[in-house]
Amino acid sequence: MASDHDGDDLLRIEALRVIGLYQGAYDGERIRKAILAIALREDEDDEVRVYALNALSFLDVGDLEIDASKQIVSSDEYISIKAAAFSLIAQHKHLPIAQEALQAMEEDKEFGKAAKRELGQF
């Protein structure tokens, strides 16, 4: 349902919220890839993209999701999408790749201060 680009956006958002909150027996890698595809789709509704990134924040992520989020933060996307991507990285700051991403953002005009705070430098 969440991947149905032609579906109702509010229903898709609710599906993403449930996926992010549900910790059950399912194919996590397949679901993470599908959600990431939604988040990266530039012609997707912005709010759907934000909820996709938020759903990923609640899941166990890896290098792929952190790298994609880092690229979103450094892009010219709307601030709400960039903030959701930053939040995903911050939520997983225990991962070495997330630490590296936060360090790379320390001088970022929009997220540098928050990156330093997440790294414990404030």
Side-chain angles (χ1 to χ4, degrees), residues 6-110:
D6 295 324
D8 181 88
D9 288 342
L10 291 177
L11 290 175
R12 296 173 67 217
I13 288 168
E14 288 303 315
L16 288 165
R17 289 176 65 188
V18 169
I19 291 168
L21 296 175
Y22 177 70
Q23 298 293 323
Y26 52 78
D27 184 356
E29 183 177 350
R30 186 175 138 243
I31 290 173
R32 281 193 315 273
K33 285 181 180 179
I35 294 173
L36 183 60
I38 293 168
L40 296 177
R41 191 171 171 171
E42 291 183 11
D43 65 337
E44 184 62 80
D45 178 80
D46 292 340
E47 195 169 352
V48 171
R49 292 178 72 195
V50 167
Y51 275 94
L53 289 163
N54 289 343
L56 284 172
S57 293
F58 290 108
L59 303 175
D60 293 329
V61 299
D63 293 3
L64 182 66
E65 293 84 6
I66 299 295
D67 282 339
S69 295
K70 180 182 171 187
Q71 289 177 10
I72 290 170
V73 170
S74 64
S75 72
D76 62 350
E77 292 284 356
Y78 287 117
I79 190 67
S80 59
I81 296 170
K82 291 169 74 166
F86 179 84
S87 179
L88 187 152
I89 295 168
Q91 187 78 10
H92 294 89
K93 64 185 172 189
H94 62 280
L95 298 174
I97 190 158
Q99 289 279 324
E100 292 171 14
L102 289 168
Q103 289 168 354
M105 289 182 226
E106 287 181 304
E107 301 305 318
D108 185 88
K109 184 175 124 183
E110 295 169 316

